[in-house]
Amino acid sequence: MTEYDYWKIFPRMPRKVTIGDITVRDGFQHEEKFISTAAKIFYMEEMIMAGCRNIEITNLGNPYLMPQFRDAEQLLTHARSDAFKNRCAKKGIKYEDICFTAVTIREGAVDRAIALKQKGIGPDRLLMMVSTEEQHHFANSGTTLPDYWKEAERCIRKCNDAGMKMCGTVSTIWGSPIGGATELKDAVEFSRRWLSIGAHDIEHADHDGSASAAEVYRYYSMVLDAMPDPNLHIAHFHETKRMASASILAALQAGITHFECTLGGLGGQPANFLDDCPTKGTGDYYYDDPRYVGLVCLEDTLVQIDEMGIEHGYNVDRVLWLGKMMEKTIGRRLRSEAVVNGRTQKQGHPQYARPGLKKLKEKFGEKPDQKLPADWGTM
């Protein structure tokens, strides 16, 4: 029998990956109830204890638009506290290895981040975003693409002067929920532009779950041909068709090494309703059915990558436990199947075995491990 080596078939596929957790920001932003500051701190801390070193924890935009993040400064203050640093030290975690990211779509949020940095509680990394389809970009930013690019260029200079990194996100790569089909070449060009104006890395986002595995492989192959350093590129997939796991695999095969996920597959557009009150968010939701939102699920992605033998740095069992806790926090069944069914058990589930097989094999004169008739020989 031929031995098939996965890494020979897909020579760009990594043997080690980085998986960032963005639950506390992207995961919670679509929830229509306020997630308590205590819960946000709990999941931020516990994800780090479970192995996460790249974590997105808040949005520094106007809380009037997204009141879910009215506690942004409290989260950042805790992240910079001596109490948390001491907890990391006791667990053998190098605090300086943790990268805290905050979303800053517009210049006012960047200025706020810089002010927090001057107070000693600023994030390590900020994030701005363009969409290749301008209607989608306008819905998120409130301005045109050319105007936003100049704003982003200014913000990156400010960010660098303040000692923070900037991630440039490219969205609607595989399609837009507003404008429909898009061109992959536009997203490659936008990625080049981010790097040319000083962005430190690029989040390539499928914000509405339009991607198919074949087009994901094609796109990331184009990206890595144009910008070969895999450390520059982060894959960000949403679910609308239950195809994000296939997209993760296709991205791996193309050579992508950095990914983002959320516990339970939470996430989506900023909520336009919170607790008992309508709020602005980014306007009407793109989908009528709330099941068709959210990111690729961290628990399931982690199990998938772990069982492929790819190094990831997480304590898988601890993440699965956190997934169970998250269902209690949110108050409903979430997307993870691994939380319910666990990891693949190599020893199986002997408690489900039917009685009588051993006696029947003895009756037929078969050996315990015999699987073929004795007179069949070998092939």
Side-chain angles (χ1 to χ4, degrees):
M1 179 182 291
T2 302
E3 180 63 39
Y4 295 100
D5 186 325
Y6 211 39
W7 278 269
K8 288 182 180 177
I9 300 170
F10 299 102
R12 279 181 159 179
M13 193 171 74
R15 294 182 182 271
K16 181 179 181 179
V17 296
T18 297
I19 304 175
D21 177 68
I22 58 176
T23 305
V24 180
R25 199 282 300 176
D26 202 330
F28 288 161
Q29 77 173 12
H30 191 62
E31 292 305 304
E32 292 187 344
K33 72 171 185 177
F34 183 72
I35 306 299
S36 73
T37 306
K40 290 170 183 167
I41 288 173
F42 172 83
Y43 288 107
M44 176 183 73
E45 283 200 358
E46 290 302 319
M47 284 306 307
I48 290 168
M49 299 303 149
C52 180
R53 296 295 177 268
N54 294 271
I55 188 161
E56 195 172 285
I57 61 170
T58 196
N59 188 317
L60 290 173
N62 190 340
Y64 167 74
L65 302 176
M66 287 173 286
Q68 184 66 257
F69 303 114
R70 61 184 183 238
D71 56 1
E73 292 190 24
Q74 291 171 265
L75 293 180
L76 287 164
T77 298
H78 182 83
R80 298 304 185 197
S81 68
D82 289 339
F84 179 59
K85 290 176 182 178
N86 290 337
R87 187 180 180 207
C88 288
K90 288 178 182 178
K91 297 292 184 180
I93 296 168
K94 291 183 178 180
Y95 180 80
E96 58 272 19
D97 290 344
I98 305 168
C99 179
F100 293 100
T101 296
V103 171
T104 52
I105 298 298
R106 298 303 303 269
E107 191 165 4
V110 172
D111 291 340
R112 184 183 178 195
I114 292 169
L116 292 172
K117 177 76 171 179
Q118 292 168 347
K119 290 171 59 177
I121 60 169
D124 302 299
R125 178 173 170 268
L126 310 180
L127 182 146
M128 296 183 76
M129 188 184 83
V130 295
S131 302
T132 61
E133 195 273 300
E134 200 163 21
Q135 284 287 351
H136 186 269
H137 175 81
F138 178 67
N140 282 317
S141 70
T143 191
T144 67
L145 276 166
D147 181 64
Y148 190 86
W149 277 116
K150 299 304 290 185
E151 181 177 324
E153 187 176 32
R154 288 194 306 273
C155 289
I156 290 174
R157 285 198 297 267
K158 290 182 178 182
C159 185
N160 288 341
D161 290 344
M164 292 183 288
K165 296 179 179 179
M166 178 68 80
C167 173
T169 293
V170 179
S171 185
T172 61
I173 296 169
W174 294 274
S176 165
I178 300 175
T182 54
E183 294 283 347
L184 297 184
K185 61 181 176 59
D186 291 340
V188 176
E189 172 67 11
F190 277 27
S191 299
R192 288 180 184 271
R193 294 291 179 178
W194 272 123
L195 295 178
S196 74
I197 62 173
H200 290 81
D201 52 16
I202 305 159
E203 176 191 88
H204 305 266
D206 179 24
H207 279 140
D208 73 325
S210 295
S212 65
E215 289 300 288
V216 167
Y217 183 85
R218 179 182 170 218
Y219 173 70
Y220 283 118
S221 296
M222 293 165 64
V223 163
L224 288 170
D225 283 348
M227 295 154 279
D229 183 357
N231 292 314
L232 295 173
H233 308 293
I234 302 150
H236 177 112
F237 297 109
H238 281 239
E239 291 274 21
T240 59
K241 302 185 291 289
R242 300 295 283 159
M243 292 171 61
S245 291
S247 295
I248 291 281
L249 179 59
L252 285 167
Q253 291 168 342
I256 294 299
T257 61
H258 289 231
F259 298 86
E260 291 179 336
C261 307
T262 60
L263 285 169
L266 289 167
Q269 277 175 273
N272 59 22
F273 199 95
L274 192 72
D275 293 335
D276 60 354
C277 183
T279 187
K280 194 170 179 64
T282 54
D284 292 340
Y285 298 149
Y286 300 138
Y287 302 100
D288 294 330
D289 192 321
R291 293 175 299 176
Y292 297 142
V293 295
L295 279 87
V296 64
C297 177
L298 174 63
E299 301 95 312
D300 297 0
T301 298
L302 195 53
V303 167
Q304 173 187 358
I305 286 174
D306 187 68
E307 294 189 3
M308 290 174 70
I310 296 173
E311 187 180 344
H312 49 74
Y314 278 85
N315 179 328
V316 178
D317 293 329
R318 189 164 187 164
V319 171
L320 293 180
W321 176 79
L322 284 171
K324 291 179 180 178
M325 295 303 100
M326 184 60 76
E327 293 197 341
K328 291 187 175 184
T329 295
I330 300 299
R332 66 177 184 273
R333 173 78 172 93
L334 300 179
R335 191 170 268 145
S336 173
E337 299 304 326
V339 160
V340 176
N341 296 312
R343 304 165 73 177
T344 301
Q345 298 298 314
K346 302 299 189 288
Q347 72 272 23
H349 300 277
Q351 69 271 27
Y352 299 134
R354 278 39 171 186
L357 178 61
K358 181 179 178 181
K359 288 185 177 180
L360 189 61
K361 289 186 77 67
E362 289 173 352
K363 176 181 176 181
F364 292 154
E366 298 172 1
K367 296 178 181 179
D369 60 350
Q370 184 179 335
K371 296 180 180 179
L372 295 170
D375 58 354
W376 276 23
T378 59
M379 294 185 69

